[in-house]
Amino acid sequence: MTNTSNVIDEFASYTAWLNTLTELDESAWEKTIATDKWSIKAIILHIAHWDNHLLNVIIPAVKNGEGMIFPEFDSFNARATQKAKRLSGEKVLQLAKASRSSLIEGLTSLRHETMTMHTTANGATHCPHQGVPYTLAYIVAEFTEHDRHHQQQVDRVIGMKP
């Protein structure tokens, strides 16, 4: 049985990591993870955009017994990275903390049955990589891995020890 509170706690740990970024100056926020790659603030806003999608689209769909719908990744991510160019690092950090906080609240308010109910993702019933049925808890765990991937990239750029 999936321990949904552990899944949510792991997902929430991202907020503590965001707090390590409060001292970054604007030039640090603009650093890219590699040539022709995203800036730190683009990465953080990209994650915040996914948080908002989970909160405003995915959770309501699952609660209503509907399947999860994920947008085409490249265009969705491009909107976040374009928006990041218009915002300060400090503003991006505020938005990221607010969106993750709201999402954690939304997830915490759900019943265990809602978190573990089998659902679909863009029509698919099972993850093609793992072969397991899709649930909201599974998707949150996948997003936790996604967060960690980006955290490691950012930590490397700013010289933080993992």
Side-chain angles (χ1 to χ4, degrees):
M1 184 159 117
T2 304
N3 186 332
T4 56
S5 65
N6 284 356
V7 170
I8 295 169
D9 289 346
E10 283 291 309
F11 190 62
S13 70
Y14 175 73
T15 307
W17 178 79
L18 283 175
N19 289 329
T20 70
L21 305 179
T22 53
E23 300 303 315
L24 292 185
D25 62 19
E26 201 56 39
S27 66
W29 281 104
E30 296 292 344
K31 285 184 180 173
T32 57
I33 56 165
T35 308
D36 295 329
K37 295 290 183 182
W38 293 345
S39 67
I40 291 172
K41 71 179 180 179
I43 288 171
I44 303 303
L45 195 61
H46 148 83
I47 293 171
H49 268 233
W50 282 111
D51 283 358
N52 287 326
H53 184 75
L54 289 172
L55 180 65
N56 299 316
V57 178
I58 300 300
I59 290 176
V62 170
K63 281 169 74 171
N64 291 333
E66 301 162 9
M68 301 179 287
I69 301 294
F70 292 96
E72 194 279 317
F73 295 161
D74 290 339
S75 59
F76 184 86
N77 291 340
R79 285 194 294 281
T81 57
Q82 287 304 310
K83 184 176 179 181
K85 292 176 183 174
R86 300 188 303 271
L87 300 173
S88 69
E90 188 178 332
K91 182 64 177 171
V92 166
L93 187 59
Q94 287 173 354
L95 291 170
K97 286 179 182 182
S99 63
R100 182 56 58 104
S101 175
S102 296
L103 179 53
I104 295 301
E105 235 173 78
L107 290 168
T108 304
S109 74
L110 296 175
R111 294 175 51 235
H112 175 81
E113 293 76 15
T114 305
M115 289 290 293
T116 56
M117 176 176 59
H118 290 193
T119 186
T120 59
N122 291 356
T125 58
H126 289 69
C127 172
H129 308 292
Q130 305 291 328
V132 298
Y134 279 120
T135 65
L136 187 52
Y138 179 80
I139 291 297
V140 171
E142 288 290 297
F143 271 89
T144 301
E145 290 304 310
H146 172 255
D147 293 348
R148 290 203 176 116
H149 164 73
H150 285 308
Q151 286 171 253
Q152 290 167 353
Q153 291 176 319
V154 170
D155 285 346
R156 259 193 315 276
V157 171
I158 63 174
M160 296 274 286
K161 297 279 184 262

